[in-house]
Amino acid sequence: MKALLVFIALIPLGVAYYTLDNAIDPIKMLSNYTGIGAITLLLLSLVPSTCKRVCGQNFLRYRKTIGLLAFVYAFLHGCVFVVLDSEFDFVTIFEKSLKKPFIYVGVIALSILFLMALTSFKKLFATFSKYHKAVYVALALALLHSFWAQKVAGVFEYSVIAVGVVLLGERIWAWKSLHVKTNLTNISLP
């Protein structure tokens, strides 16, 4: 099942590869494909936990695979900017970043995802699992990056923000519910 998941997740990259010759702006097309793929997979990586809490369905075994795929897309998105768009010209990258601060937001989100991907394997995950809650920060920053990068936000941007707010809101609600239950069980009767 995980192999099928990886195959499905990589289909947009295959489509991008085969339609690259017909693209008006191939670099922008690759940037859009990888950016949309990254944010979509990042949102999907939160769905298994929500499904377990809300529906009782356990898809947690796919969460890591989806999260790693989100990192791959985000990494490719960054590579498109650094390698293809800026051609490793770091002065140009710095100048572009000053004019478009949403790039810094994206870099911070990518850095968080990189650290999470690096520590997602068994030995390191046992030590660093509590830090993987940083995915919520990465998601919030990725949503901000995606929205801010658009000159005119469209249906996709608003939809992604709405889904992100619902998923993050559900987590806050679940955390508060757990916190209230814990406090109630700790109250002792006189």
Side-chain angles (χ1 to χ4, degrees):
M1 186 65 179
K2 286 182 182 176
L4 179 63
L5 191 63
V6 171
F7 177 75
I8 291 170
L10 295 179
I11 286 175
L13 287 180
V15 171
Y17 177 78
Y18 283 107
T19 57
L20 203 55
D21 289 339
N22 300 326
I24 296 170
D25 185 349
I27 294 174
K28 187 173 182 180
M29 187 190 89
L30 283 175
S31 182
N32 286 341
Y33 266 76
T34 53
I36 290 170
I39 205 152
T40 303
L41 287 164
L42 194 54
L43 286 169
L44 286 173
S45 72
L46 300 184
V47 170
S49 298
T50 302
C51 273
K52 186 170 183 190
R53 278 191 296 271
V54 175
C55 316
Q57 298 293 318
N58 189 355
F59 298 111
L60 293 177
R61 63 186 171 277
Y62 305 115
R63 186 172 52 184
K64 178 178 156 184
T65 304
I66 299 169
L68 287 172
L69 286 165
F71 168 70
V72 167
Y73 268 89
F75 180 73
L76 290 173
H77 184 68
C79 286
V80 168
F81 176 66
V82 172
V83 178
L84 299 178
D85 194 24
S86 304
E87 298 176 342
F88 290 108
D89 183 354
F90 290 100
V91 173
T92 302
I93 291 171
F94 180 72
E95 288 171 357
K96 283 182 182 177
S97 302
L98 289 177
K99 293 176 187 169
K100 302 173 181 176
F102 65 83
I103 293 172
Y104 291 118
V105 175
V107 168
I108 295 169
L110 177 61
S111 300
I112 292 170
L113 292 179
F114 173 73
L115 292 173
M116 292 178 65
L118 203 63
T119 58
S120 67
F121 298 97
K122 281 188 179 177
K123 288 181 182 177
L124 289 175
F125 186 75
T127 307
F128 295 100
S129 63
K130 63 183 173 187
Y131 298 110
H132 279 231
K133 294 195 184 326
V135 70
Y136 307 132
V137 176
L139 175 62
L141 292 173
L143 291 172
L144 178 62
H145 170 80
S146 171
F147 195 82
W148 200 355
Q150 305 303 317
K151 290 178 183 168
V152 178
V155 173
F156 176 78
E157 287 76 26
Y158 285 111
S159 302
V160 163
I161 293 283
V163 172
V165 166
V166 168
L167 288 170
L168 291 175
E170 187 276 331
R171 272 159 177 75
I172 292 169
W173 179 78
W175 180 81
K176 279 187 172 181
S177 297
L178 181 66
H179 197 68
V180 168
K181 283 180 186 175
T182 305
N183 285 341
L184 288 175
T185 55
N186 288 339
I187 294 174
S188 58
L189 294 173

